[in-house]
Amino acid sequence: MPAGTGCRKGARPPPRPLPPRLSIQEVVVDCADPAALATFWAGLLRTRWVLRHDGWAVVDADPLLLAFQQVPEPKGSPKNRLHLDILVTDADAETARAVALGATVTGTRELGPDGDGFVVLQDPEGNELCLVVDNGGGWTAGTRTALDERGAAG
């Protein structure tokens, strides 16, 4: 073996470093009234929002942005292709607060005896969202474990 090569016959070369991780800058929701939805979502998330111009409002949903873009066409299907899961500690209290802000409960509610689970709501324009309770950390820990395992198998 030539000096300085660092590889033996049959040895695998060292793994290449992964490229920098990409992150979501913002999630964009098509809607009829960006300011109204930004007001709702900012109230729900207890954060600030800004109307960038008449057709575009943005909520500070740190670590990403939640944007609402005005579109001319009405929502064509009762089922979203995208929804947000909002982590809460008390489903009943947060559901009541969301309803007071203008949400509608869809009737789908799956909460275990420990209170963990989810409640499905719709925002004022009918976009679905879930209030998720994971006080025991089982869902989050399971997801992290699955991600770690997938990454290791990668």
Side-chain angles (χ1 to χ4, degrees):
M1 174 168 71
T5 62
C7 289
R8 293 175 287 146
K9 184 176 180 179
R12 293 181 11 177
R16 282 189 251 142
L18 294 174
R21 183 176 182 179
L22 299 179
S23 61
I24 296 171
Q25 178 208 16
E26 61 190 20
V27 175
V28 180
V29 178
D30 291 348
C31 65
D33 188 345
L37 281 187
T39 300
F40 168 82
W41 281 98
L44 184 68
L45 297 174
R46 296 185 180 110
T47 191
R48 59 194 175 164
W49 71 277
V50 63
L51 186 64
R52 298 289 299 184
H53 57 74
D54 285 343
W56 193 270
V58 181
V59 173
D60 180 3
D62 187 36
L64 56 85
L65 300 172
L66 180 58
F68 299 93
Q69 122 180 303
Q70 188 174 36
V71 295
E73 64 276 357
K75 186 176 170 184
S77 166
K79 179 67 179 142
N80 284 13
R81 295 194 180 261
L82 172 117
H83 76 268
L84 301 177
D85 287 351
I86 309 300
L87 190 61
V88 301
T89 57
D90 182 334
D92 292 331
E94 294 300 334
T95 297
R97 196 169 71 79
V99 168
L101 289 166
T104 303
V105 179
T106 68
T108 305
R109 178 182 172 93
E110 294 185 22
L111 296 169
D114 59 357
D116 284 3
F118 64 92
V119 178
V120 181
L121 300 101
Q122 292 179 341
D123 72 13
E125 286 198 10
N127 299 300
E128 292 179 354
L129 64 127
C130 293
L131 299 179
V132 177
V133 181
D134 186 26
N135 292 332
W139 176 262
T140 302
T143 300
R144 292 279 179 216
T145 298
L147 287 168
D148 290 346
E149 289 171 356
R150 175 65 180 132

